[in-house]
Amino acid sequence: MSEANAGKALTVQVEGSSFARIPIRTRVVMPGDDLDEFVREYATDVVRDGDLLFVTEKIVAITQGRSYLVEDIKPRKLAFFLSKYVTRTPYGIGLGMPETMEMALRECGTLRILFAAAVSAVTKLFGRKGDFYRIAGDKARAIDGPTSGTIPPYNKAVVLGPERPREVAEHLKALLGGVPEVAVVDINDLGGNILGSTLDKAGEKQLVAILKDNPLGQGHQSTPLGVVRAV
């Protein structure tokens, strides 16, 4: 069994059961790479019957051509304005820079982002958080901006969320002979979200609990794939 990433436990207890979260170390995924070939290369010899393969949304999006160099994004004035009011965290810049906000406006639509920002501004006054992303949706939440801890060349890029993540999960399960369940996940050190999977709702809820401490790490680990295995 593989080793856990630094600072992460290999096994976790959830609902009275123990699960191993096995990170799969890979090369850096580049635009133009084929996701099927990448998964075959690194996951085929790892997964077993009964496993769940989880795939980061970032590598799915990159292989779909949804990665953009910051220097190639030209933010509009509205993006500069709105980004000033986004709280940045140590775990990711989110929409707190004009370039990521610009991509959110393109992905989600200007009216939706404006409505989300307006509602969030009001509800924050009453101590309520999270309304912006609840309204803007998964597409806004999944946008990754550049950080110093990101593997090059993505330390200078904005990566959007993946398209059709549930279809991707179903395709990868078939690709691997139907052996593992598959989930496309957006997990960071603040929490997680299942963008698409071959699981039912209860299974997705359990998976979020299993992965809540982000076992694949946030920086230079180069482990964009992982396996959940009951132990």
Side-chain angles (χ1 to χ4, degrees):
M1 190 176 290
S2 300
E3 294 182 356
N5 278 321
K8 307 294 180 180
L10 186 63
T11 61
V12 66
Q13 288 267 342
V14 173
E15 299 172 357
S17 299
S18 294
F19 298 91
R21 297 91 49 82
I22 305 165
I24 301 175
R25 193 165 302 279
T26 73
R27 62 178 173 79
V28 177
V29 179
M30 300 298 290
D33 278 342
D34 182 88
L35 182 63
D36 287 8
E37 292 179 5
F38 187 84
V39 170
R40 277 199 204 99
E41 179 180 355
Y42 290 103
T44 300
D45 294 335
V46 179
V47 296
R48 304 176 187 170
D49 191 19
D51 284 350
L52 181 140
L53 175 71
F54 59 105
V55 182
T56 61
E57 92 291 351
K58 196 162 189 172
I59 67 164
V60 176
I62 290 167
T63 58
Q64 291 177 337
R66 291 171 63 76
S67 173
Y68 301 85
L69 290 175
V70 170
E71 64 189 41
D72 293 335
I73 301 170
K74 307 303 179 188
R76 69 196 81 173
K77 290 181 180 179
L78 181 61
F80 279 95
F81 174 76
L82 292 175
S83 65
K84 292 189 295 185
Y85 297 96
V86 176
T87 301
R88 300 187 183 196
T89 76
Y91 308 114
I93 202 164
L95 304 185
M97 63 183 291
E99 288 81 5
T100 52
M101 183 61 75
E102 172 62 29
M103 298 311 291
L105 289 165
R106 297 183 195 180
E107 278 285 280
C108 307
T110 301
L111 289 178
R112 186 166 188 166
I113 294 296
L114 283 173
F115 181 59
V119 171
S120 176
V122 172
T123 56
K124 277 182 179 178
L125 296 175
F126 299 95
R128 178 170 162 145
K129 297 180 180 179
D131 282 322
F132 177 87
Y133 287 109
R134 272 191 283 272
I135 296 168
D138 287 343
K139 284 186 176 182
R141 186 184 289 110
I143 294 173
D144 275 342
T147 66
S148 59
T150 306
I151 296 174
Y154 305 108
N155 58 336
K156 297 181 179 179
V158 175
V159 181
L160 305 182
E163 293 183 322
R164 304 176 303 281
R166 182 171 294 278
E167 292 176 28
V168 170
E170 292 169 349
H171 173 76
L172 292 178
K173 179 177 179 176
L175 181 77
L176 294 170
V179 172
E181 300 296 337
V182 179
V184 178
V185 302
D186 179 11
I187 305 289
N188 60 44
D189 288 346
L190 292 177
N193 190 34
I194 310 302
L195 300 185
S197 80
T198 59
L199 302 169
D200 59 19
K201 291 297 182 183
E204 289 188 350
K205 183 179 179 181
Q206 183 185 60
L207 182 59
V208 169
I210 293 170
L211 301 180
K212 71 176 182 178
D213 65 334
N214 190 18
L216 295 185
Q218 195 70 19
H220 287 83
Q221 288 86 354
S222 195
T223 51
L225 306 172
V227 168
V228 171
R229 180 174 298 158
V231 294

